[in-house]
Amino acid sequence: IASRDIASRDIASRDIASDDIAIFGHLNLIEVSREFTRWGIGGALVESDGVVLYATGSWLPVMCNGAFRSDDTTAASEVVTRADAFFGTRRRGYTIMVRDLPVDDDLRRGCEAGGLEAFGDPAPEMFCTTPVAEHQPDGVEIRRITTEAGVIDFAAVCSAAYSTYGMPVEAPVQLFGIPRRVIEARHVIAVVAYAGTEPVAAAMTLLSHGIAGLYWVGTVQGARKSGLGRAVTAVVTNASFAHGAAAVTLQASVMGEPIYRAMGYDTLYHYQNWVRFMSPGT
């Protein structure tokens, strides 16, 4: 079934089937990728004939530039061909995120045939449908981000946290390069945890398709193993339910998966990143 057909269902109730959550979670991931193009300088979004192509304020090929099918019946070769043309003019690499579901079997084959490389471990798509337990570590204040200064702090936490995975420290700063637009996105819930005046952890959800997607959970290295990642995750998860989300979904990192599972998140499927690597100036 094409994703666009499922998206029209009424899910006002929280009694939502896992099959629907699987679809809505994927659509939410596409939606946040669209939003990323609006938050950084030089972002671009092209969408037509079942293909979504998004470029953010950062050149980084993973997380910051990519292609999706908005219609699962679109030929895989068409996705790769159009992505190559779109990102080739920008001298950027890009990622196609492929689910380990039958609906994406052709897309996986198309990425492989097109010369893209499987990168990293498959990331579990996880979900929960009920609020989770909250706790606030001593000496820390968790604040909802409502100012541009807060967005800058959010980006600073992500820069420090995601450098552990090899992400260039400038990438999150570039992604959130127009803080005003992040604040204006009323369907986004973002928090930063502060130890005194220092931002030490962050998390964000974006509401769409009747659910919320959890993104950019991170803790600076010096504050890890203190429960901060769990704390900010719980705050935005529960705030999303309070705003009417029927479920909260996420794509877990190796570091984050056991934390989410302990909180009550379960796995639906996995994403494999297929990447066309290209650096600026190539």
Side-chain angles (χ1 to χ4, degrees):
I1 302 175
S3 298
R4 62 183 180 183
D5 296 328
I6 303 246
S8 65
R9 293 186 186 173
D10 179 6
I11 58 166
S13 146
R14 286 191 182 172
D15 183 14
I16 179 172
S18 61
D19 286 351
D20 285 345
I21 297 172
I23 291 294
F24 294 129
H26 185 65
L27 292 174
N28 185 274
L29 177 60
I30 297 173
E31 187 60 31
V32 79
S33 300
R34 293 186 183 105
E35 202 66 57
F36 288 161
T37 70
R38 301 164 186 139
W39 295 350
I41 296 169
L45 175 68
V46 172
E47 182 170 1
S48 64
D49 299 325
V51 178
V52 178
L53 303 164
Y54 73 95
T56 75
S58 169
W59 64 268
L60 192 71
V62 181
M63 296 180 68
C64 297
N65 294 274
F68 287 101
R69 290 195 295 199
S70 55
D71 183 340
D72 293 329
T73 66
T74 301
S77 58
E78 179 73 6
V79 179
V80 174
T81 297
R82 290 175 58 185
D84 281 343
F86 179 79
F87 290 103
T89 61
R90 290 165 173 78
R91 294 192 166 188
R92 291 186 177 188
Y94 66 88
T95 296
I96 298 176
M97 296 179 68
V98 179
R99 297 164 288 182
D100 60 350
L101 296 174
V103 70
D104 273 0
D105 282 350
D106 67 314
L107 188 56
R108 173 183 50 77
R109 292 191 298 268
C111 289
E112 191 170 15
L116 279 71
E117 299 178 41
F119 177 75
D121 296 322
E125 172 78 357
M126 305 183 78
F127 77 102
C128 69
T129 56
T130 58
V132 299
E134 289 192 28
H135 75 288
Q136 186 159 320
D138 293 339
V140 172
E141 180 186 1
I142 300 175
R143 304 177 198 164
R144 174 85 178 263
I145 297 307
T146 58
T147 66
E148 293 188 21
V151 176
I152 292 170
D153 286 346
F154 187 100
V157 169
C158 294
S159 293
Y162 282 77
S163 64
T164 297
Y165 300 104
M167 177 178 285
V169 294
E170 71 272 13
V173 175
Q174 294 167 337
L175 184 72
F176 297 102
I178 309 176
R180 170 183 57 82
R181 293 183 180 169
V182 182
I183 298 302
E184 290 173 350
R186 306 304 295 174
H187 56 312
V188 169
I189 301 168
V191 301
V192 171
Y194 291 87
T197 60
E198 292 297 314
V200 291
M204 168 186 291
T205 52
L206 178 138
L207 292 102
S208 77
H209 301 87
I211 67 161
L214 175 66
Y215 303 98
W216 290 106
V217 178
T219 304
V220 301
Q221 188 167 0
R224 288 176 183 163
K225 298 185 178 179
S226 60
L228 283 171
R230 183 169 184 158
V232 293
T233 295
V235 168
V236 294
T237 294
N238 291 345
S240 298
F241 286 125
H243 279 72
V248 180
T249 63
L250 61 90
Q251 300 81 46
S253 66
V254 172
M255 190 180 300
E257 181 180 5
I259 297 172
Y260 302 130
R261 196 169 300 283
M263 294 178 69
Y265 278 83
D266 293 314
T267 298
L268 286 164
Y269 50 85
H270 292 76
Y271 281 104
Q272 178 65 62
N273 287 329
W274 287 86
V275 183
R276 176 83 77 200
F277 287 101
M278 185 182 296
S279 296
T282 299

